[in-house]
Structure formats: structure tokens, C-alpha cells
Amino acid sequence: MESPDATFTLAYLVFSFCFVFTPNEFRSAGLTVQNLFSSWLGSEDVGFIQYHVRRTSTTLLVHSSLPLGYYAGMCIAAPEKNLPYIHLVSAGWQAFLVLSLCLQLVSWGLVIYWSRRQWSNHPICRTLQAHAQPQRSGWGAVATSINTEFRRIDKFATGAPGARVIVTDTWVLKVATYHVHVAQQTDTHLSVTDSRQHQMSPDSATPTQILTIRVASINPAVNSFDIRLMSTEYSELREKLHAPIRSATNVVIHQTISELFLDTFKAHAELNQPYMLPSEMEVELCIGCLQVPAGTKLIRLCCEEGSDNECRQCFCRPMWCLSCLGRWFASRQNQERPETWLASCVPCPTCRSKFCILDVCLIR
């Protein structure tokens, strides 16, 4: 049987990790800095910059108190260690307590320094100062501009509350745990630097492509930063930006669910049994695109004849390439339920015999 201190240690580590990185379950339960201190933080809609100045400061103080909270919890979980009596504990626990207290004191000192001169020393305010025109003017005018544009309903916004990407008429904003990155649209160059395909995502049962976009400013006082969003949101982002987004030559952007599904369709088809083309049979161009030779043959492989499955044997010769067949497959699905696409059956585009993804064979 595990000891109480080991159980508490494991539970506290899991809690701390989830509290810092905030999965959806913690966010739904309200276990976030934004929710726990909402009465002091105020409203983001009323004052976006002021809200995040308070939020980042509070987040720093709360996160830095987690080691001290572990020590306090161990005083209750393991009373035999005599942790409340500092002079009786081991040197290791004394060092841990001293480091925890120092971390908390340094955090308080840093926040107090930030708050001087009406928070002018805060990293967010210093970032805004880089956008002030002229430079000798204060950051307040920039904050007012961002606050005003954030209240407009036509802004682009995506992501979780503590890690969002926001694009207004003038500004590109990235909300991070301890900071808010700010860039002015007229001064920035955006480029897609990477894309990652995820077969499953926490919020959807369908494949998801995550794009990484580099935001670089011509203003030397503004640091570059990366924003991440789903490829299905890419078109909406481009509509809000005044400048084009450059894309690396090796990055392919899938902007629709059908395009994302097509990659998954091809991957599953490549795992199926191939169709060995008879020597006397000639392959013609795909009748869908007329660009490449037909590369697929529908053969009923998913189950035996006579079962209740809807699939039937197709006797058509190879007439479709894999891409066109995949697009046909996606077009015949319920667009409201993309999570059911892979398990569905659709009619052959030529003879209307039902087939599923397991029946799609590549020609060899």
C-alpha cells in the first residue's frame, strides 16, 4: 500500500501540472486563475490591456506559490515528518522550504516593481511603449486603441482564454500565460512556417491540421512571435489581415474538413490489399480529373458475401484516381457529422454499388 505522502505528492504534481497548463476539464470546472480571481481581475471587454496586466501578475504569484503549497500540504499528509517544526526536519526539507519562500518573495518583489509608475514597468506595458508614436509619449494611447478595437464584434479570435490569438483592424495579439505579444498590422510580415497533422484532437473526432505562423515586425523594438491555429480558421484570419501571408514551399494548408479527410482516406487506402492489374488490361486517365491514370479498384474486402453489410461487389474497371475517389467519398457524407465519415458506405460513382474505405484497393 502506498504511503500517504507518496499519494499526496503524486496527486499534487498532477494538480499543479493541470493548473498551470489548464486542460479543458480544469477550465470547465473553473479551476483557472481567471475564474478564481475574476472579482479582482475585472472584465476583459472593458479594459483588455489592464485586465491582462492584472492577470499575468496574479498568475505569476499563484504559480510561484505552488511549491509552498506542497510543503503546507505535506504538513497535513505526513504529520510524522514534523514539517511544521522547521528546526526538527531534515536539511533537504529545510532547503526546499527556503527555496519556496525565496521564489514567493522574488515573485512579489517583481510584481511590486511592475506596479510602480502605474504599471509602466510591466512587460506588457513596455511592449506597448514600443508602438507609441511618438516614442516619448506614453503607452496609454496604444492601450486605449487596443481596448477599443477588442470590444468590436468583427475581430478574429481563436484559442483558449489563457492562450488566444486575436486580430483586430490594427493589431495582432497573442495572449500567453505570462505575457501578451502585440504587433501592429502595418508593421508586420506573416509567414506560415510549419504545419502539423493530428489524426485526433481533444475537441474533435476528425483530423486536424495545426498551422504555425510567424509574426515578424519591422519595428526593431518589437520581438517576433509565433501564433498557432487550425487550418479551418486560416481563411477567416486572412480576411482580417491587411497584408498577405507568405507560406513556406514545403507547407500544404488544408482549409476544409474534406481536404483534411482526404489525407486520412489515402493513408487508409494504402493499408488495404493492392489490386494486381492483369497484363492485358490498359489503364486510362481518371475520368474525374483527366490528369493522372486511374489508380484504384473497388473490391469487396470488408466482409463476406451474404452478410448484413451494405457493401456490394463492384465490377467496374479502374476508372478513378485515389484523390478523386476520396473527394467523391467525402462529398457523399453527412457534413454535420464528420466523425462518422470513415465508417460510412457510399455508392460507386459509376455503378452505384455500395463500398467502404476498406474496399478501396490501389493498383499495382
Side-chain angles (χ1 to χ4, degrees), residues 7 25 33 66 87 90 98 140 147 158 172 177 219 232 258 281 285 330 337 340 346 349:
T7 302
E25 292 74 14
V33 172
L66 290 175
H87 62 285
S90 64
V98 170
N147 292 344
T158 183
V172 179
T177 303
N219 187 340
T232 51
S258 297
M281 181 180 293
L285 291 178
R337 299 186 60 194
T340 65
V346 302

Side-chain angles (χ1 to χ4, degrees), residues 302 309 311 329 342-346 354-360:
C302 58
N309 188 279
C311 296
F329 196 98
L342 283 177
S344 299
C345 296
V346 302
K354 289 289 187 71
F355 73 96
C356 66
I357 197 171
L358 297 176
D359 302 329
V360 180

Side-chain angles (χ1 to χ4, degrees), residues 225-242:
F225 57 92
D226 292 332
I227 60 176
R228 291 178 175 83
L229 70 159
M230 293 189 294
S231 60
T232 51
E233 302 168 318
Y234 182 73
S235 296
E236 185 180 355
L237 172 66
R238 287 202 311 176
E239 291 177 1
K240 195 61 182 175
L241 293 170
H242 303 316

Side-chain angles (χ1 to χ4, degrees), residues 7-158:
T7 302
F8 174 77
T9 298
L10 179 60
Y12 194 83
L13 286 174
V14 173
F15 171 82
S16 299
F17 181 85
C18 293
F19 187 73
V20 172
F21 295 101
T22 320
N24 291 335
E25 292 74 14
F26 266 52
R27 193 172 291 111
S28 301
L31 295 176
T32 63
V33 172
Q34 295 94 314
N35 186 69
L36 295 175
F37 298 90
S38 58
S39 59
W40 185 77
L41 295 179
S43 173
E44 186 183 42
D45 291 328
V46 173
F48 176 84
I49 293 299
Q50 291 76 8
Y51 173 88
H52 284 286
V53 166
R54 292 190 291 266
R55 178 192 63 82
T56 53
S57 301
T58 304
T59 300
L60 177 64
L61 294 177
V62 173
H63 287 179
S64 64
S65 68
L66 290 175
L68 198 59
Y70 172 71
Y71 188 93
M74 283 296 291
C75 292
I76 302 174
E80 71 279 359
K81 295 182 180 294
N82 295 318
L83 295 182
Y85 308 100
I86 301 176
H87 62 285
L88 297 178
V89 299
S90 64
W93 279 109
Q94 289 179 348
F96 179 83
L97 178 60
V98 170
L99 289 175
S100 300
L101 289 171
C102 289
L103 180 61
Q104 184 73 166
L105 291 174
V106 169
S107 299
W108 273 102
L110 186 58
V111 171
I112 292 173
Y113 169 73
W114 286 349
S115 65
R116 296 180 60 189
R117 296 188 301 161
Q118 298 182 338
W119 296 96
S120 294
N121 295 324
H122 194 282
I124 295 177
C125 300
R126 292 204 302 266
T127 299
L128 299 185
Q129 184 63 49
H131 295 284
Q133 295 294 335
Q135 289 295 325
R136 61 179 179 273
S137 63
W139 54 271
V142 181
T144 301
S145 172
I146 295 175
N147 292 344
T148 301
E149 294 190 10
F150 179 79
R151 286 193 289 267
R152 296 174 183 168
I153 61 174
D154 62 341
K155 64 180 178 294
F156 171 83
T158 183

Side-chain angles (χ1 to χ4, degrees), residues 270-282:
E270 290 174 353
L271 298 176
N272 295 339
Q273 172 185 317
Y275 172 72
M276 306 307 296
L277 188 71
S279 57
E280 67 276 7
M281 181 180 293
E282 294 184 1

Side-chain angles (χ1 to χ4, degrees), residues 327-359:
R327 294 188 182 95
W328 165 264
F329 196 98
S331 69
R332 304 293 294 181
Q333 303 301 321
N334 182 353
Q335 302 301 310
E336 301 296 328
R337 299 186 60 194
E339 68 276 5
T340 65
W341 291 9
L342 283 177
S344 299
C345 296
V346 302
C348 166
T350 307
C351 71
R352 304 302 177 181
S353 298
K354 289 289 187 71
F355 73 96
C356 66
I357 197 171
L358 297 176
D359 302 329

